[in-house]
Amino acid sequence: MHGTFDTPADAYRALNSVAWPVVIKADGLCAGKGVFLAPDFADAKDFVERVMEKNELGPGGRRILLEETLEGEELSFIILTDGKRYAPLVPTRDHKRVFDGNQGPNTGGMGAYSSDELLPDDLRELIRSTIVEPTLHGLAADGIPYQGFLYIGLMLTKSGPKVLEFNCRLGDPEAQAIVARMDFDLAETLADVAAGCLEPSKMRWKPGASACVVLTSGGYPGKFETGKRIEGLTGVDNITGVRVFHAGTKLAGGTLVTNGGRVLGITAAAGALGDSLALAYATASRIHFAGMHYRKDIGAHATHLRAAGN
Ligand code: GLY
């Protein structure tokens, strides 16, 4: 039985009558680690026990949801709204599992890419009319003024796009791939949003594609060590099309060291997805810290989106 459960006993009972695999979600914030696709009862019970009884994810795991598994490709559809008007940002796709081939546990995001080809016009219109606009109308009808980014995590199933989650923020690492394609002044646009006068036509985007490869500490999303010296960053910001976003870093006595699970987002924009990925990976290969891990297959399944020869 699917639903929301406040006690482990109720959750275990419900697991006796679900179809496998089942999706288990912690109801609170868990830094991207609160979702588990359980293949069978034993693994599901183990996750519920860790989250609800051992509190491994903290207070965000006190209540869980059991949900039907949706099959398809994920799409991050993020909009900016001033409460009256809205503009979709360029579409992105995240890679949440820690290892290549979508293996291993979920993370906050190991990499993302953006290409307009992720979102054919008819799909964009369907998402706008059946998901975005009803959501904005619902917020208005409920008297909830909403100004800012609204992140809609979608699964593109055979029976259409389905909402996995809403977040009141840009995604990470989707944000890096999106920023790499911005051809407008973000600060000015955000001031317009705050003032309630968003002008969607001012939000212009660079054609082509972008990609972000996240470099993580070894062991993430489980236990990891910090304080590792980061080498190889000199000059990378001067490479045309490349931007390095710092996430888990700090300066220790003038030396840049790791200070989190997701350490750096190596981001590149180019005319085609294959070129963006090649540039991001070439840049990542110059950087080093002890235990460094990153996925080698960001965007690899999107061969239909690559330019010939890339
Ligand atoms: N990358 C997924 C998120 O930010 O929620």
Side-chain angles (χ1 to χ4, degrees):
M1 187 182 62
H2 300 132
T4 306
F5 302 92
D6 289 296
T7 68
D10 286 344
Y12 298 140
R13 202 169 305 116
L15 285 172
N16 285 314
S17 55
V18 294
W20 304 99
V22 73
V23 176
I24 310 178
K25 288 183 181 170
D27 193 35
L29 289 175
C30 297
K33 296 177 220 159
V35 180
F36 180 60
L37 184 62
D40 53 35
F41 185 88
D43 281 2
K45 183 167 184 299
D46 178 64
F47 184 76
V48 172
E49 197 173 286
R50 289 198 289 114
V51 170
M52 295 187 89
E53 302 205 54
K54 297 183 182 160
N55 295 317
E56 284 186 15
L57 297 178
R62 280 193 196 127
R63 169 186 293 164
I64 61 139
L65 286 81
L66 299 182
E67 293 183 346
E68 169 197 358
T69 299
L70 297 176
E71 285 182 23
E73 297 264 36
E74 286 191 44
L75 181 76
S76 301
F77 192 98
I78 305 170
I79 65 162
L80 189 55
T81 178
D82 65 1
K84 298 184 289 290
R85 301 221 275 171
Y86 75 91
L89 311 185
V90 283
T92 47
R93 179 162 289 149
D94 189 13
H95 296 60
K96 293 204 171 69
R97 302 292 198 96
V98 69
F99 298 125
D100 287 7
N102 291 329
Q103 300 298 309
N106 268 332
T107 67
M110 295 297 293
Y113 64 89
S114 171
S115 162
D116 293 340
E117 291 166 67
L118 273 171
L119 192 63
D121 289 349
D122 54 345
L123 179 60
R124 185 194 308 106
E125 289 319 306
L126 185 66
I127 293 169
R128 289 179 79 139
S129 62
T130 62
I131 296 173
V132 178
E133 285 160 22
T135 301
L136 295 178
H137 291 151
L139 285 168
D142 287 351
I144 302 171
Y146 188 82
Q147 288 165 282
F149 293 108
L150 184 64
Y151 171 120
I152 309 173
L154 298 170
M155 184 69 86
L156 305 179
T157 73
K158 282 193 185 127
S159 54
K162 311 270 185 197
V163 176
L164 297 174
E165 59 178 344
F166 289 100
N167 291 311
C168 300
R169 55 177 173 78
L170 275 171
D172 176 5
E174 290 95 322
Q176 294 89 314
I178 289 169
V179 167
R181 295 191 59 198
M182 280 179 181
D183 204 7
F184 57 88
D185 187 323
L186 178 59
E188 207 173 87
T189 304
L190 294 179
D192 288 349
V193 166
C197 56
L198 174 68
E199 179 44 71
S201 65
K202 286 195 333 204
M203 295 171 62
R204 298 187 178 281
W205 300 94
K206 293 178 193 157
S210 60
C212 173
V213 176
V214 174
L215 310 185
T216 72
S217 297
Y220 170 84
K223 289 203 177 87
F224 56 84
E225 293 178 2
T226 58
K228 310 293 179 193
R229 183 190 178 101
I230 302 171
E231 289 166 304
L233 278 175
T234 310
V236 292
D237 276 329
N238 297 328
I239 305 171
T240 304
V242 169
R243 280 200 210 179
V244 175
F245 291 88
H246 289 237
T249 67
K250 71 171 183 184
L251 280 173
T255 301
L256 190 70
V257 298
T258 63
N259 192 37
R262 289 189 293 170
V263 176
L264 294 164
I266 312 302
T267 309
L273 180 59
D275 295 331
S276 306
L277 289 163
L279 192 52
Y281 275 116
T283 307
S285 70
R286 297 164 56 135
I287 299 165
H288 176 75
F289 50 86
M292 182 175 105
H293 166 70
Y294 59 96
R295 276 183 63 161
K296 313 294 184 299
D297 66 343
I298 302 302
H301 63 296
T303 44
H304 60 294
L305 302 183
R306 294 170 178 230
N310 289 324

